[in-house]
């Protein structure tokens, strides 16, 4: 998991990831990590049972391996057992586990998808992608938001708890400049400096003014 070429699960002194230089960005999932390199390629390591390292196999990787077929990547974001990459055309391609429709391919299954395939259905003009437990969201060039994947806690933000297997618009949310994804919730920063969140709220993580287990549509966080 640490990318140092060993199977040791914990180290108490930091050390280098084997053979990894020129890193531009890092993103960590539950038990895997991906790095966007300065040349726009992706390298991942760690748990790979669902193909989340993207090298075409389901073999766990103790050191970084290259994600197949991706170049010119602008951003990488890792969920629990999957990862997604933002490409220059404004599309997003994902790989790994597809439970709940995390890969945005129009369906759900329990198979491993160990390399990036087709782009997320229905998503164009993306400028940022964030991945969480079993869902992802993207900001588009027009500052609207679209999400896909697991939605049992309303983390898609469309007012329902139905899983979404392709990109689905978050209604009523405009002028978004930045997204952050949590365990089963999402937050958006808008151009006026306000913050809006939706999804799991059992510990108040959506900042909802009233106590509720889930927030199914974007709700403004008071006082920010």
């Amino acid at each position: 998991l640490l990318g140092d070429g060993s199977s040791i699960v914990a180290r108490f002194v930091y050390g280098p990831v084997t053979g990894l230089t020129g890193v531009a960005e890092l993103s960590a999932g539950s038990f895997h990590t991906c790095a966007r390199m300065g040349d726009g390629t992706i390298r991942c390591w760690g748990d790979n049972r669902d193909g989340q390292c993207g090298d075409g196999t389901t073999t766990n990787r103790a050191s970084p391996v290259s994600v197949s077929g991706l170049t010119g990547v602008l951003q990488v974001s890792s969920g629990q057992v999957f990862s997604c990459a933002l490409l220059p055309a404004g599309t997003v391609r994902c790989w790994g586990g597809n439970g709940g429709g995390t890969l945005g391919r129009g369906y759900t299954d329990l198979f491993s998808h160990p390399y990036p395939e087709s782009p997320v259905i229905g998503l164009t003009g993306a400028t940022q992608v964030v991945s969480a437990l079993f869902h992802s969201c993207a900001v588009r060039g027009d500052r609207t938001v679209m999400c896909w994947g697991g939605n049992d806690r309303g983390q898609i933000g469309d007012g329902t708890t139905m899983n979404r297997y392709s990109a689905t618009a978050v209604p009523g949310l405009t002028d978004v400049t930045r997204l952050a994804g949590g365990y089963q919730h999402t937050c958006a920063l808008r151009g006026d400096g306000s913050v809006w969140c939706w999804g799991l709220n059992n510990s108040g993580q959506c900042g909802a003014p009233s106590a509720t287990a889930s927030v199914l549509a974007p709700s403004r966080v008071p006082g920010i």
Side-chain angles (χ1 to χ4, degrees):
L1 302 180
L2 302 181
D4 61 357
S6 76
S7 58
I8 296 173
V9 297
R11 286 197 182 276
F12 302 105
V13 178
Y14 67 85
V17 174
T18 302
L20 199 63
T21 59
V23 174
E25 179 190 20
L26 284 172
S27 182
S30 289
F31 296 102
H32 77 290
T33 305
C34 291
R36 177 173 62 88
M37 311 304 292
D39 63 2
T41 59
I42 302 292
R43 303 187 71 189
C44 302
W45 62 94
D47 185 11
N48 194 33
R49 287 171 291 180
D50 289 282
Q52 57 264 54
C53 287
D55 66 341
T57 77
T58 55
T59 302
N60 292 344
R61 297 300 183 181
S63 56
V65 293
S66 296
V67 175
S68 302
L70 285 184
T71 59
V73 175
L74 301 177
Q75 186 198 350
V76 63
S77 187
S78 297
Q80 185 180 43
V81 295
F82 69 100
S83 292
C84 295
L86 173 65
L87 300 175
T91 58
V92 171
R93 295 174 67 185
C94 304
W95 60 95
N98 192 38
T102 55
L103 305 185
R105 291 178 179 151
Y107 60 90
T108 180
D109 61 36
L110 299 178
F111 297 107
S112 301
H113 296 264
Y115 51 86
E117 295 178 6
S118 57
V120 172
I121 295 173
L123 179 64
T124 58
T127 59
Q128 185 203 0
V129 60
V130 296
S131 299
L133 183 68
F134 291 120
H135 81 288
S136 297
C137 294
V139 182
R140 300 180 68 217
D142 61 3
R143 293 191 170 186
T144 59
V145 175
M146 302 190 79
C147 302
W148 62 95
N151 193 32
D152 56 316
R153 294 295 186 176
Q155 56 265 50
I156 299 299
D158 65 348
T160 78
T161 56
M162 295 175 58
N163 292 345
R164 299 300 183 181
Y165 307 145
S166 58
T168 301
V170 179
L173 192 63
T174 59
D175 196 26
V176 173
T177 61
R178 199 73 181 165
L179 288 175
Y183 180 73
Q184 286 181 294
H185 74 292
T186 313
C187 290
L189 173 66
R190 297 185 65 196
D192 62 1
S194 62
V195 175
W196 297 68
C197 300
W198 59 97
L200 183 65
N201 189 54
N202 61 340
S203 297
Q205 53 267 59
C206 287
S210 58
T212 179
S214 298
V215 177
L216 302 185
S219 173
R220 184 171 183 171
V221 178
I224 297 181

